[in-house]
Amino acid sequence: MKKTLFMFALIPCVITAQAHADECKGVVTQDIPDNSYDGKSGTVIEQLHEYEGKPDGTPLTYAVHGGGVYPADHIRILNCTIHKISTDPYYELKLNNTSENADDIIMQKAEAQLLQMGMDNADASNAAYAYAKSPNTACGKMAARAINGDQSAASLILSGGICP
């Protein structure tokens, strides 16, 4: 309970970045023929992200990191919302602001902020994970310092050894 309240208290600290979703889930609503990935009706697909869309903001396809492209009209998004944007792919998926998504939203915002500080994707992702899931570890504490603007903490994370 205390951890959950602590995590909600941290949300305003990292509100500067939008939470884009790689944690989106969708369910296949009808079989997808000739799909080399799991395209069977009823299958829950995790880690969906934007792929192709129309200029009006309508998604044409979603993709999964590591493989898999799914026609948008065969997927019902479960925990995210589609937002129109003005650049290709013309839409973005954002996690719904629910208690079930709170940790993922915190991680995404923290990762975006750490990337803006010059971290590479791997270091930012590891540090953001520790910040949200293991805040009392050395990595979690150092990530918190970096997120609060301590560039030396970001440099320490980049030097390796703190966030495996």
Side-chain angles (χ1 to χ4, degrees):
M1 174 83 172
K2 286 183 181 179
K3 182 179 179 184
T4 303
L5 291 174
F6 175 72
M7 298 306 268
F8 283 117
L10 290 176
I11 291 173
C13 296
V14 292
I15 202 77
T16 58
Q18 291 289 326
H20 297 283
D22 276 341
E23 288 79 13
C24 285
K25 296 177 186 171
V27 64
V28 179
T29 58
Q30 55 186 314
D31 287 350
I32 304 170
D34 302 322
N35 190 303
S36 59
Y37 299 95
D38 198 350
K40 201 141 180 64
S41 181
T43 301
V44 174
I45 309 295
E46 299 197 22
Q47 297 184 334
L48 288 172
H49 64 89
E50 303 87 356
Y51 197 65
E52 297 174 301
K54 294 180 182 178
D56 69 359
T58 304
L60 295 172
T61 57
Y62 303 113
V64 175
H65 286 294
V69 176
Y70 299 89
D73 62 350
H74 286 59
I75 303 288
R76 181 173 44 88
I77 300 297
L78 299 174
N79 64 336
C80 293
T81 306
I82 300 165
H83 294 268
K84 180 183 176 186
I85 58 172
S86 60
T87 56
D88 189 25
Y90 304 110
Y91 75 97
E92 63 185 4
L93 296 173
K94 291 185 184 178
L95 280 169
N96 296 335
N97 190 10
T98 64
S99 59
E100 293 85 21
N101 292 335
D103 284 354
D104 290 330
I105 290 170
I106 288 168
M107 282 190 302
Q108 287 179 355
K109 290 179 179 181
E111 184 174 355
Q113 197 163 353
L114 294 168
L115 288 168
Q116 289 176 355
M117 295 182 81
M119 285 190 191
D120 59 49
N121 286 331
D123 287 325
S125 178
N126 289 341
Y129 182 88
Y131 174 76
K133 301 283 189 176
S134 306
N136 293 322
T137 63
C139 182
K141 290 176 182 178
M142 197 61 63
R145 284 180 46 195
I147 288 165
N148 286 314
D150 184 345
Q151 189 63 45
S152 67
S155 296
L156 284 170
I157 292 170
L158 284 170
S159 70
I162 293 175
C163 296

